[in-house]
Amino acid sequence: MKKFNIAVIPGDGIGREVVPAALDVLHTISEIHGGLQFDFTEFPWSCEYYLEHGVMMPSDGMETLGAFDAVFLGSVGNPKLVPDHVSLWGLLIKIRREFEQVINIRPAKRFPGIASPLANPKEFDLLVVRENSEGEYSEVGGRIYRGDDELAIQNSIFSRRGTGTAMRFAFNLAAKRKQHVTSATKSNGVYHAMPFWDQIFNEVSKEYPGIETASCHIDALAAFLVTRPQTLDVIVASNLFGDILTDLGAAIMGSIGIAPSANINVNGKYPSMFEPVHGSAPDIVGKGIANPIGQIWTAQMMLDHFGENELGNLLLQTIEKVTAEGIKTCDIGGGATTQEVTGEICARLKLL
Ligand code: NAI
Ligand code: MG
């Protein structure tokens, strides 16, 4: 019997609707498998928690999470209660940084039955490896003066270690997929950091002679994601470029509600964290219509991470069967509720 201890943080908004849905699916997976057990421990850390305690998580929160095999997170943010820079930096970004989850993986693929805004999409199935610890998202910089002379300086940080780690991770993934990596650059505009990025990409690519490479400016690449996504497989990108590119990836799939992500700790010191790309969606919270597929596909990425690839594939195929038959929420053109989609996925898993 294999057992995994998982810390569950539903967080805010629809996180509290889609996380229970994905847990139902994981319970079903463990029923049909028999040799696999999940032990879930839920933590109420959220904006409401902040209002009560003045912090997003207790002072020993990170230590508590450190004892788990993985963190399964919904979404963080309720800008009406707590400013986003307080809530996200106090929980989501804190975990990503302190657990050294230096890589963020975000796939995008065409699902049958979900209309992509691309009129006749080819069978695209790509994956963005996003550098997750530095780059353009840094606290280095500051503000000076007030009034007409006021100015802000925001520094980007690109280290050989951080950049190389993301790139090697991408090449290793490519070795298991289509032997191709595209680097998202902007060395024609970003004067120091991006030529450095290109240089490291060149160096790292020499360690993987069997893998083909391409280097593409981020603006052109954004267009290619729309015009010919089927030509892309593994893309490696900086923190900001990867963030923007993956919302676009979600858009060409048909909805941000189906996009998953994994924050990977590569040194084995801390748990990795699995969360969908979307946020807490205050505009639809409480209506029962949040698309659970992003969170459920995120559970599939967690299964893969645990080495349960076969079960993971089974789950992904089941999601595809359910979308193909039109059982889907309204963001992707259906009329089903969160619970109906989840129930259908669980029922089909049980039939296998
Ligand atoms: P959002 O992702 O919450 O929502 C954007 C749009 O997509 C909304 O119209 C929403 O209804 C729709 N949407 C999102 N998930 C959906 C789902 N599962 N099913 C159907 N429709 C879905 O982004 P927004 O509105 O910019 O941010 C809201 C809050 O979430 C903010 O506090 C923000 O900081 C936070 N946020 C948190 C993230 C995280 O925890 N990883 C990521 C992005 C935003
Ligand atoms: Mg984003």
Side-chain angles (χ1 to χ4, degrees), residues 96 106 130 137 242-244 246-247 256 277:
R96 287 182 185 166
R106 297 181 163 183
R130 167 182 167 195
Y137 293 0
D243 194 7
I244 298 172
T246 50
D247 265 38
I256 195 173
V277 172

Side-chain angles (χ1 to χ4, degrees), residues 192-228:
H192 296 292
M194 281 296 137
F196 176 75
W197 173 274
D198 290 353
Q199 179 197 324
I200 306 282
F201 187 67
N202 259 325
E203 287 175 20
V204 171
S205 69
K206 297 208 170 74
E207 299 167 19
Y208 300 85
I211 294 184
E212 274 184 65
T213 61
S215 190
C216 198
H217 290 306
I218 185 65
D219 40 357
L221 188 56
F224 290 157
L225 215 65
V226 176
T227 55
R228 44 179 172 94

Side-chain angles (χ1 to χ4, degrees), residues 156 291 334 340:
S156 298
N291 195 334
E340 282 162 356

Side-chain angles (χ1 to χ4, degrees), residues 14 75-77 79 84 88 92 256-257 275 278-283 291 331:
I14 60 165
S75 53
V76 183
D84 275 350
L88 278 95
L92 176 73
I256 195 173
E275 46 147 356
H278 66 73
S280 53
D283 53 338
N291 195 334
D331 57 311

